[in-house]
Amino acid sequence: MSSTAAQAAGALAAPATGTIPRHVAIIMDGNGRWAKKRFLPRFAGHKAGVEAVRRVTREARAIGIEALTLYAFSSENWRRPEEEVSDLMGLLRHFIRSDLDELVRENVRLRVIGDYRRFAPDVVEMIDDAVARTGGNDGPILAIALNYGAQAELAAAARRCAAKLPPDRIDEAAIEAELQTRDLPPLDLLIRTSGEQRLSNFLLWQAAYAELLFVDTLWPDFDEAALREAVAAFGGRQRRYGGL
Ligand code: FPP
């Protein structure tokens, strides 16, 4: 194992031991259906989705979850109409402008996973600035997945491993050390809202031993109580990691 791989597999590798998951990831799905049910434009659903992001990130901190990863824009979302992509970018800009001070104050470390450098230059600059402003914090991690795709992440990790190591030294730890989530705790719980039961190219490697929870609630309706219920469901699961 390389020394970086050994480091990655060391301190951070311990999964949750109690009933509180250390790392929770959420596929925030159902904004469009939420809006449709109310005869509102899809934008209204995404806007309400941002409110849910705010509620859930606050509640995750209150519960003591160490890392929360949110799937805000997948590498496949470019296929949506230009207007919707632009609306999502607008909401991201707005979220950073309105919530960054709170994140800094609350000791949150903001991270971004995904190839967000393909976004408009002003958004890239805002993201880099926001990440830098929380860089001195040492509290919970809020990771936002932007233009993220797990297969692309794995292909990039494989390329980096191949450039550094002979084939027989490329093991699980070496790959893990090249993932964008390398400084996050192991993924304990992955939630998808809106009744769909797919991973949609999200954290495929990291989900290897995560508990999966699919809930019918549409993302804009997901609230503090829903997160607490999800954490309680996690606490009731038996994790065997392939053992008995
Ligand atoms: C899925 O709902 C949701 C998205 C593709 C985007 C999620 C984005 C947000 C919640 C807002 C931006 C986030 C931040 C962090 C500022 P959908 O549109 O696929 O819903 P549908 O399946 O019902 O149509």
Side-chain angles (χ1 to χ4, degrees), residues 27-35 42 45-53 70-74 77 80 84 87-88 91-96 142 144 146 192-194 196 198 218-220:
I27 301 176
M28 310 180 287
D29 197 7
N31 295 350
R33 277 162 285 167
W34 183 93
R42 291 179 60 81
H46 293 314
K47 203 161 166 258
V50 177
E51 290 302 320
V53 166
L70 301 176
Y71 207 5
F73 194 90
S74 79
N77 284 154
R80 295 193 175 205
E84 182 162 343
D87 282 345
L88 287 168
L91 286 172
L92 179 62
R93 284 186 187 94
H94 179 74
F95 175 76
I96 295 175
L142 172 62
I144 303 185
L146 294 171
R192 182 173 189 143
T193 60
S194 90
E196 307 290 343
R198 289 187 292 278
L218 301 175
W219 175 249

Side-chain angles (χ1 to χ4, degrees), residues 3 6 8 30 47 88 96 98 101 104 120 148 212 229:
S3 61
K47 203 161 166 258
L88 287 168
I96 295 175
S98 57
D101 283 346
V104 174
Y148 174 86
L212 307 182
E229 265 175 50

